[in-house]
């Protein structure tokens, strides 16, 4: 079994390097490529040539243009990486009869209401990043290739920067913080996403009828304000020198950004849990583990 992993050094890609390695021969690329292989999703010709040369049984695409605000101006690049590259991967996967495993986002939804989004709900992205991700999903589905698309939300990893690390840094430096309290979602660890991906791949190889779109997020829900408070309380109880005394809860409208964000980022994960017999742990357990990894260093 030959697996080609794209985006190997992103949050999810890094964890996939670990979780996919027992499945078969793993060829992992970042945007710089190696051995003459192209891992740059903005180079569609190079990407296609690489897929034809490697001839993988499974393509796992963890690469994406994820700079949500910058995507409002770098629209062409975001569309190329998040949508046109998916078209190339899907066409080549179909030609090779390979599986294409891809990731998408709750940002394909408009964030209305408070009901967790189901896979059958209509997409209506609020920003250019969301549009590019929605198109990427659709070209994969339309191509007819064997695919798994996992929509996830509020992803974090212990490696690199993340919201929790930023909040801890600010909490050490300032006595007051203001954090958005009307966007609700579920912080989801890159390790959980990678582990579920690997379990699901093992299962679909035996049961290809399970191909499709799935929502993948940790259990429970929280606002960014609640998430920040959890992180800061944990850091304080862990002996960190925390200066912050007040964490103000603010509305999205008080913190304007170039890209609009959905208020309701809740994802209904019943389909995934049923199809793959999974239990998704609550968001606190993964965040606590990540905080321990950072703070116990
Ligand atoms: P990261 O931003 O951590 O990783 C994305 C990776 O893609 C980076 O390694 C980046 O490389 C790479 N990349 C960017 N542009 C290119 C390019 N032109 N060619 C090749 N590689 C490129 O994202 P995550 O790991 O968090 O995201 C994984 C998936 O999950 C993505 O599909 C994302 O859309 C989705 N998702 C993420 C969420 C989140 O909160 N992060 C929420 C919901 C969904 P470099 O570092 O060199 O730029």
């Amino acid at each position: 079994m030959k697996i080609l992993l794209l985006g190997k050094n992103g949050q999810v890609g890094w964890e996939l390097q670990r979780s996919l390695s027992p499945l078969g021969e793993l060829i992992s690329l970042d945007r710089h490529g190696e051995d003459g292989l192209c891992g740059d999703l903005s180079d569609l010709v190079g990407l296609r040539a690489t897929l034809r040369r490697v001839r993988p049984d499974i393509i796992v695409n963890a690469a994406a243009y994820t700079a949500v605000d910058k995507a409002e101006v770098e629209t062409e690049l975001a569309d190329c990486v998040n949508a046109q590259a998916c078209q190339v991967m899907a066409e080549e996967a179909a030609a090779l009869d390979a599986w294409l495993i891809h990731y998408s986002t709750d940002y394909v939804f408009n964030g209305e209401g408070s009901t967790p989004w189901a896979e059958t709900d209509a997409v209506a992205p609020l920003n250019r990043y969301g549009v590019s991700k929605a198109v990427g999903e659709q070209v994969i589905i339309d191509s007819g290739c064997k695919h798994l698309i996992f929509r996830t939300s509020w992803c974090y990893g212990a490696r690199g920067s993340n919201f929790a690390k930023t909040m801890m840094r600010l909490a050490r430096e300032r006595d007051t913080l203001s954090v958005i309290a009307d966007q609700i979602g579920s912080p989801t660890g890159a390790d959980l996403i990678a582990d579920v991906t690997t379990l699901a791949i093992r299962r679909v190889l035996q049961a290809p009828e399970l191909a499709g779109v799935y929502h993948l997020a940790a259990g429970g829900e929280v606002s960014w304000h609640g998430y920040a408070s959890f992180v800061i309380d944990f850091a304080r109880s862990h002996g960190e020198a925390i200066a912050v005394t007040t964490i103000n809860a603010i509305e999205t409208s008080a913190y304007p950004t170039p890209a609009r964000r959905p208020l309701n980022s809740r994802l209904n994960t019943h389909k995934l849990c049923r199809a793959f017999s999974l239990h998704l742990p609550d968001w606190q357990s993964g965040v606590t583990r990540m905080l321990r990894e950072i703070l116990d260093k």
Side-chain angles (χ1 to χ4, degrees):
M1 179 91 62
K2 203 188 266 189
I3 306 164
L4 178 65
L5 169 63
L6 296 156
K8 70 171 184 175
N9 287 322
Q11 298 186 99
V12 174
W14 176 254
E15 293 293 336
L16 284 166
Q17 288 192 58
R18 168 187 59 75
S19 70
L20 293 174
S21 61
L23 286 191
E25 181 194 349
L26 180 61
I27 299 163
S28 304
L29 299 175
D30 64 12
R31 71 163 80 219
H32 307 295
E34 58 189 55
D35 298 333
L37 298 175
C38 170
D40 183 352
L41 271 57
S42 67
D43 178 353
L44 301 179
V45 173
L47 177 65
R48 194 183 293 278
T50 291
L51 293 165
R52 289 183 179 178
R53 191 171 133 199
V54 175
R55 303 183 60 80
D57 301 292
I58 306 171
I59 304 160
V60 183
N61 178 31
Y65 184 105
T66 54
V68 175
D69 287 318
K70 259 168 82 180
E72 297 295 309
V73 284
E74 290 189 344
T75 308
E76 271 185 33
L77 181 58
D79 287 345
C80 182
V81 174
N82 291 346
Q84 292 165 37
C86 291
Q87 175 87 48
V88 171
M89 285 183 247
E91 286 169 5
E92 295 305 316
L96 291 165
D97 194 28
W99 279 90
L100 175 55
I101 317 298
H102 180 68
Y103 300 93
S104 190
T105 169
D106 60 279
Y107 279 23
V108 297
F109 296 116
N110 65 12
E112 285 177 6
S114 57
T115 306
W117 297 102
E119 289 82 352
T120 46
D121 288 327
V123 303
L126 296 177
N127 55 48
R128 293 301 316 187
Y129 165 74
V131 169
S132 69
K133 295 296 289 184
V135 174
E137 295 180 350
Q138 200 56 49
V139 295
I140 292 171
I141 294 165
D142 292 346
S143 75
C145 76
K146 297 182 294 190
H147 64 271
L148 284 172
I149 298 173
F150 297 110
R151 288 193 191 126
T152 189
S153 72
W154 295 19
C155 177
Y156 64 83
R159 193 168 178 268
S161 59
N162 67 37
F163 175 81
K165 287 185 190 176
T166 304
M167 287 302 123
M168 278 194 289
R169 177 176 54 77
L170 293 175
R172 289 188 195 102
E173 295 168 3
R174 302 184 187 175
D175 58 7
T176 304
L177 292 180
S178 296
V179 187
I180 287 170
D182 58 352
Q183 292 176 24
I184 310 292
S186 178
T188 302
D191 51 354
L192 178 66
I193 295 169
D195 289 344
V196 169
T197 300
T198 302
L199 285 166
I201 289 174
R202 290 184 60 115
R203 185 91 176 83
V204 290
L205 292 175
Q206 308 298 325
E209 68 278 8
L210 292 175
V213 178
Y214 292 92
H215 289 177
L216 164 50
E221 63 181 56
V222 69
S223 67
W224 291 112
H225 177 267
Y227 183 12
S229 302
F230 180 88
V231 166
I232 292 165
D233 286 349
F234 184 92
R236 185 178 276 119
S237 68
H238 213 75
E240 289 294 301
I242 297 297
V244 82
T245 51
T246 309
I247 308 173
N248 293 318
I250 60 166
E251 293 193 351
T252 300
S253 54
Y255 187 73
T257 50
R260 284 178 68 203
R261 265 105 172 139
L263 298 183
N264 176 18
S265 283
R266 300 169 181 88
L267 293 175
N268 178 330
T269 57
H270 292 165
K271 181 184 172 194
L272 177 80
C273 292
R274 248 196 327 268
F276 297 101
S277 307
L278 290 175
H279 168 77
L280 293 168
D282 61 33
W283 66 267
Q284 292 94 330
S285 60
V287 169
T288 300
R289 187 180 154 82
M290 177 259 294
L291 292 172
R292 283 192 185 284
E293 276 186 45
I294 296 167
L295 295 173
D296 287 350
K297 270 186 187 151

